[in-house]
Amino acid sequence: MKDTITLSVFRGDHTGGEERSYDVPVTEGMVVLDAVHYIQQHLAPDLAVRWNCKAARCGSCSAEINGRPRLMCKTRLDVLGEGVIHVRPMKSFPVIRDLVTDVSWNYRVARQIPGFTPAHPAPFVMHQVDVERSQEFRKCIECFLCQNVCHVLRDHDLKSRYVGPRFMIKIAELEMHPMDTVDRIDFTQKDAGVGYCNVTKCCQEVCPEHIHITDNAIIPMKERVADEKYDPVRMLVRAIRGR
Amino acid sequence: MAQAVTPQASSPARPREVPWWAQPLATVVALGVFSLYALWEALTHTSGRYHNYLSPFFSPDVHSWGVRVLPALWVLWVPLLFRATCYYYRKAYYRSFFWDPPACAMPDAKPNYRGETRFPLVINNLHRYFLLLSFVVLAFLWKDAVDAFFFRSGFGVGLGSIIMLVNVVLLTVYSLSCHALRHLVGGRLNCFSCSRGAMVRYSLWKRITEWNERHAMWAWMSLFSVWITDLYIRLLISGAIHDPRFIR
């Protein structure tokens, strides 16, 4: 590893901007966020960056490092090779300034999802076999890297039609909950837009919590929607039974 | 001492460990060559039988049932639709052929995108039916694999017997690791502990989930095993090679 490394960091806002290069001294075990902090402390005090825990727990420091969505606090410099390291804000969301993006659309989506509605108030007695699927989804730290890499949101900006992978796991978590009573299948198809996902698994590839977003949440939800909306035999049986 | 240096252009280079186009290209080559081979096999041959060996392209043996016109086409539509609607192959062809997207964080090729909300791609939601049909074909392939160990002289083991057995095992694991099957056996339940029957389904779901984690690997291995099995039997029929017999 070289003694210094060059970071090319996006500087600008929603009206535009450009990358600027900074030389940063390298220390053992340094991560991209450390380098960005060095720039902020020594070279560009006005550099805007969102961060909090520096431990891959808070999901604040999401960015695009050499074109790949990653957490800056979890990306070591020594895995990025010897060349210039490009650091840019998440592409799917409007830039507020430099590396900080406006992710408030996600919180508006979260409010639209029908909430947990148990048959009776807590406390519940639940078995581990019934909650282990939901527990995987609860590892989500809301870094929104999956939302950023999802091509439906990233390239086509279909935010009005598809809620994105983060909220597909939220819906799956609620749908698979043994105590929940709400039917979200119609919502999943029409409002959440599960049909827009073409299961190319990029969300799963970038998830820092290694949640199997596509395999364990989106595909099971597609199958549940297929049960209700596309399976002709099940639709016929329901019609005969009158429900 | 670190210092700010001259601003650069806003479009960065995209260094990656493997070039982004490597995976789509490999998929296009593998699926493209296999498709051309399958077309050649289906359109130019009326039988895939060599003594007790039957090519998976011609199983069930509709030729012996009286179908004389392109018998392979009467068979191949089932595995074709099963694989075309498979969740793994969807990822593969959306990335490689449609470029929706070609690789993660790379731009899509087309401006208009509708996902799987419209015809014909909405048909992918019927994957479960093509899975059930593929089990029928699989039953015939198991019969063929057993027949491959019984020669005119009685029980024996040839290289073809082993190839056909490996092929049907790989096809079985590929089918049993299917996402739709995982849903049907237990994934659709919300409460596994609510009844004894649900716990049985939970056990099945857990097992299929383990296999499902390698679904892509089974998809490729079973595709190549079908290819190798058919090619081996075709070469036997043509007389280009002879079948080594390990047990007579």
Side-chain angles (χ1 to χ4, degrees), chain B residues 95-142:
Chain B
R95 281 197 186 191
S96 305
F97 289 88
F98 292 25
W99 284 36
D100 272 341
C104 297
M106 292 298 294
D108 280 18
K110 299 187 296 290
N112 297 320
Y113 174 81
R114 290 172 174 172
E116 297 183 332
T117 61
R118 305 281 170 88
F119 183 82
L121 295 176
V122 74
I123 289 173
N124 282 325
N125 288 298
L126 297 178
H127 180 51
R128 59 190 62 184
Y129 286 99
F130 302 124
L131 166 74
L132 296 175
L133 285 171
S134 78
F135 281 136
V136 176
V137 174
L138 204 54
F140 282 99
L141 290 172
W142 270 105

Side-chain angles (χ1 to χ4, degrees), chain A residues 19 23 88 130 132-133 151 156 175 195-196 198 200 202 205 215-216 222-224 227 231 234, chain B residues 2 5 8 10 87 95 100 104 108 110 113 116 128-129 179 182-183 187-190 192-193 202:
Chain A
E19 287 189 18
D23 290 341
R88 296 179 69 86
D130 294 325
E132 61 191 8
R133 284 181 295 183
H151 69 121
H156 304 289
E175 272 298 292
Y196 280 92
N198 65 351
T200 42
C202 289
E205 286 185 22
D215 288 316
N216 290 351
K222 275 180 172 274
E223 286 295 314
R224 286 181 181 219
D227 280 347
D231 188 326
R234 290 178 68 88
Chain B
V5 294
Q8 291 187 339
S10 60
Y87 283 101
R95 281 197 186 191
D100 272 341
C104 297
D108 280 18
K110 299 187 296 290
Y113 174 81
E116 297 183 332
R128 59 190 62 184
Y129 286 99
H179 289 84
R182 184 178 175 229
H183 171 75
R188 60 159 52 123
L189 299 178
N190 292 337
F192 290 126
S193 65
Y202 171 73

Side-chain angles (χ1 to χ4, degrees), chain B residues 157-170:
Chain B
V157 179
L159 180 57
S161 321
I162 295 168
I163 289 173
M164 287 182 68
L165 181 63
V166 170
N167 176 50
V168 76
V169 167
L170 288 171

Side-chain angles (χ1 to χ4, degrees), chain B residues 44-183:
Chain B
T44 62
H45 299 100
T46 54
S47 174
R49 180 169 288 286
Y50 177 78
H51 302 304
N52 57 332
Y53 295 162
L54 181 62
S55 159
F57 279 64
F58 294 85
S59 179
D61 191 3
V62 293
H63 184 261
S64 69
W65 300 348
V67 176
R68 294 287 180 262
V69 181
L70 301 175
L73 291 185
W74 293 74
V75 171
L76 289 179
W77 66 274
V78 173
L80 173 69
L81 286 173
F82 177 49
R83 290 193 186 248
T85 58
C86 161
Y87 283 101
Y88 168 69
Y89 282 108
R90 278 146 79 175
K91 173 197 168 188
Y93 64 71
Y94 285 135
R95 281 197 186 191
S96 305
F97 289 88
F98 292 25
W99 284 36
D100 272 341
C104 297
M106 292 298 294
D108 280 18
K110 299 187 296 290
N112 297 320
Y113 174 81
R114 290 172 174 172
E116 297 183 332
T117 61
R118 305 281 170 88
F119 183 82
L121 295 176
V122 74
I123 289 173
N124 282 325
N125 288 298
L126 297 178
H127 180 51
R128 59 190 62 184
Y129 286 99
F130 302 124
L131 166 74
L132 296 175
L133 285 171
S134 78
F135 281 136
V136 176
V137 174
L138 204 54
F140 282 99
L141 290 172
W142 270 105
K143 177 187 175 298
D144 298 338
V146 172
D147 288 346
F149 287 87
F150 292 93
F151 298 84
R152 274 187 200 153
S153 55
F155 179 79
V157 179
L159 180 57
S161 321
I162 295 168
I163 289 173
M164 287 182 68
L165 181 63
V166 170
N167 176 50
V168 76
V169 167
L170 288 171
L171 284 168
T172 302
V173 179
Y174 168 58
S175 302
L176 292 179
S177 64
C178 167
H179 289 84
L181 184 65
R182 184 178 175 229
H183 171 75

